Amino acid sequence: MCVGTERVPLAQACGRILSEDISAQRSNPPLPNSAVDGYGLRHEDIVDGPQNIPLVEGRSAAGAPFQGAVPASHAVRILTGATIPEGVDTVILQEDVATDGSAVAFHGPLKKGSNTRSAGEDVMSGGLILAKERRIVPADLALAAATGVSHLNVFKRLRVAVVSTGDELAEPGTEARPDQIFDANRPMLLAMIAQFGFDPVDMGRAPDDREALKGFLDEAASRSDLILTSGGASAGDEDHMSALLNETGSMTLWRLAVKPGRPLALGMWANTPVFGLPGNPVAAKVCTLIFAKPAMDALGGAGWSDPVGLEVPAAFIKSKKAGRREYLRARLRDGCAEVFRSEGSGRISGLSWAEGLVELPDEALDVQEGTTVLYYPYSAFGL
């Protein structure tokens, strides 16, 4: 595990990953209470047929319980969420009675315990409410607060550094030479990291110079728990990222049978994991979602997790050869998966058009309209 832990108040806990199991400090509800507005009475006083039961003075309201016990053969006015007074075990809806203010009339029988909530029927004090490695969502904050928990022990946010490489890159908003392209990867990757719930660390752009890139990696390793680079991961003259990892002997993965996605360099730099992503934005995003995101989760305390996909009918036709797993930019329309008009990795507009990915298996496949395919919405990855 790369990250430590810290204790934070509920207001700062959303999106964080629990570092320990959380137990209820108080039962929910803490006392028996009424589920409706109505009248509380004793079940044993109710018989079949018409009933006319006198009312006691006063009422039980949420935050203002009835003081004392309700005598036998009497009823008490009770409101939703109010504590059930002593002598009451059943509540009848106000719509089911007639009253003149001094008594209630209704027709029996009535099931014992009707319209009541038992103490601890939701959660008992000491019971597990949230498990270690869970990423906190807003509903978890409600559960923690309702059971008396004010602070949570969480893992510190994983710091993920992003480095773009290449002399061909220019910063958006600057004057780019005709032979340059704007750096599309860094803003995308930094935003993805933030959406994942981690801390993005912008390291800027490294030139096509091996010694300079070493300096960028040294600085990134000192400021982060994991490094994402884009570009320079292949085996060309200017592919310095993969060359540096090979020089250190830490390269563990290079070419993958994935489209889009190869090459992907995976190694260590100064004891910090490095994902050398392809320079193409489409491949960079796919590799981040499929390979880097599960590793970030594990290093950040959430454990290894795989996205949950949906089996849906295809709204496209494709003949696929065996040998590589393919990920197509896709979105759901009318319950079917449609894919972007071009599979070209340079079509960045397809990233914005898509709302998820269709995964096609390694083996050969002939997809026709209506063929069942596996679709991953971006939300399955935390986006």
Side-chain angles (χ1 to χ4, degrees):
M1 181 64 61
C2 288
V3 295
T5 63
E6 60 184 345
R7 185 171 175 82
V8 299
L10 294 186
Q12 299 174 17
C14 194
R16 304 298 295 273
I17 300 167
L18 284 175
S19 61
E20 66 178 22
D21 291 341
I22 304 298
S23 299
Q25 300 301 301
R26 190 189 195 199
S27 295
N28 184 50
L31 294 171
N33 68 75
S34 177
V36 299
D37 290 342
Y39 297 88
L41 36 78
R42 194 188 317 260
H43 181 264
E44 65 184 45
D45 294 336
I46 304 170
V47 296
D48 290 351
Q51 312 284 303
N52 193 73
I53 299 179
L55 282 169
V56 298
E57 289 188 10
R59 67 176 191 173
S60 188
F66 180 80
Q67 299 300 311
V70 176
S73 301
H74 284 71
V76 64
R77 176 67 166 151
I78 192 167
L79 304 180
T80 303
T83 299
I84 304 259
E86 183 182 347
V88 170
D89 59 14
T90 301
V91 174
I92 186 170
L93 276 164
Q94 63 183 19
E95 294 89 344
D96 293 339
V97 307
T99 181
D100 60 1
S102 62
V104 290
F106 60 94
H107 197 282
L110 194 64
K111 183 179 178 181
K112 185 175 182 179
S114 292
N115 302 311
T116 65
R117 306 185 184 109
S118 302
E121 73 172 25
D122 180 25
V123 177
M124 292 295 294
S125 177
L128 176 68
I129 56 170
L130 300 169
K132 179 181 177 180
E133 299 185 352
R134 179 178 177 87
R135 191 182 299 276
I136 297 298
V137 298
D140 297 334
L141 303 181
L143 178 58
T147 55
V149 177
S150 63
H151 289 70
L152 298 173
N153 290 330
V154 298
F155 290 105
K156 293 181 178 179
R157 291 188 189 275
L158 186 79
R159 300 167 302 164
V160 182
V162 177
V163 182
S164 290
T165 68
D167 291 337
E168 77 279 10
L169 298 179
E171 288 293 308
T174 65
E175 190 71 30
R177 301 192 312 263
D179 63 318
Q180 288 184 309
I181 58 174
F182 292 114
D183 184 0
N185 280 344
R186 215 166 81 246
M188 175 181 70
L189 294 173
L190 290 167
M192 288 171 66
I193 291 162
Q195 277 196 276
F196 293 154
F198 307 124
D199 278 344
V201 181
D202 187 358
M203 298 302 303
R205 179 184 61 82
D208 284 326
D209 179 278
R210 199 161 299 185
E211 287 303 314
L213 181 56
K214 282 183 180 180
F216 273 81
L217 293 176
D218 288 341
E219 178 70 13
S222 71
R223 296 175 55 188
S224 70
D225 306 300
L226 182 143
I227 303 170
L228 294 182
T229 70
S230 63
S234 190
D237 293 347
E238 299 296 332
D239 288 317
H240 302 295
M241 189 64 237
S242 56
L244 284 175
L245 292 178
N246 276 317
E247 285 179 9
T248 64
S250 71
M251 176 82 85
T252 58
L253 189 63
W254 182 39
R255 290 191 178 276
L256 296 172
V258 172
K259 178 184 177 182
R262 65 180 185 186
L264 173 68
L266 178 60
M268 300 289 291
W269 189 269
N271 295 317
T272 304
V274 179
F275 281 84
L277 303 171
N280 183 286
V282 175
K285 181 168 186 175
V286 170
C287 285
T288 299
L289 294 177
I290 302 302
F291 300 108
K293 172 57 163 51
M296 292 182 205
D297 284 341
L299 292 172
W304 191 272
S305 61
D306 293 315
V308 178
L310 307 171
E311 291 188 340
V312 299
F316 62 94
I317 297 173
K318 177 178 172 60
S319 181
K320 176 192 171 298
K321 297 179 180 179
R324 282 203 291 177
R325 186 167 303 179
E326 295 190 17
Y327 291 92
L328 309 178
R329 286 153 283 174
R331 63 187 185 186
L332 284 186
R333 291 296 183 269
D334 298 322
C336 299
E338 59 181 36
V339 299
F340 190 58
R341 65 183 183 274
S342 170
E343 294 182 24
S345 294
R347 301 291 187 95
I348 301 176
S349 60
L351 289 176
S352 179
W353 174 93
E355 297 167 0
L357 300 172
V358 161
E359 179 185 271
L360 300 181
D362 302 346
E363 60 267 19
L365 187 65
D366 185 27
V367 179
Q368 300 295 322
E369 290 192 6
T371 300
T372 298
V373 294
L374 188 59
Y375 172 76
Y376 292 106
Y378 283 147
S379 60
F381 302 98
L383 295 182

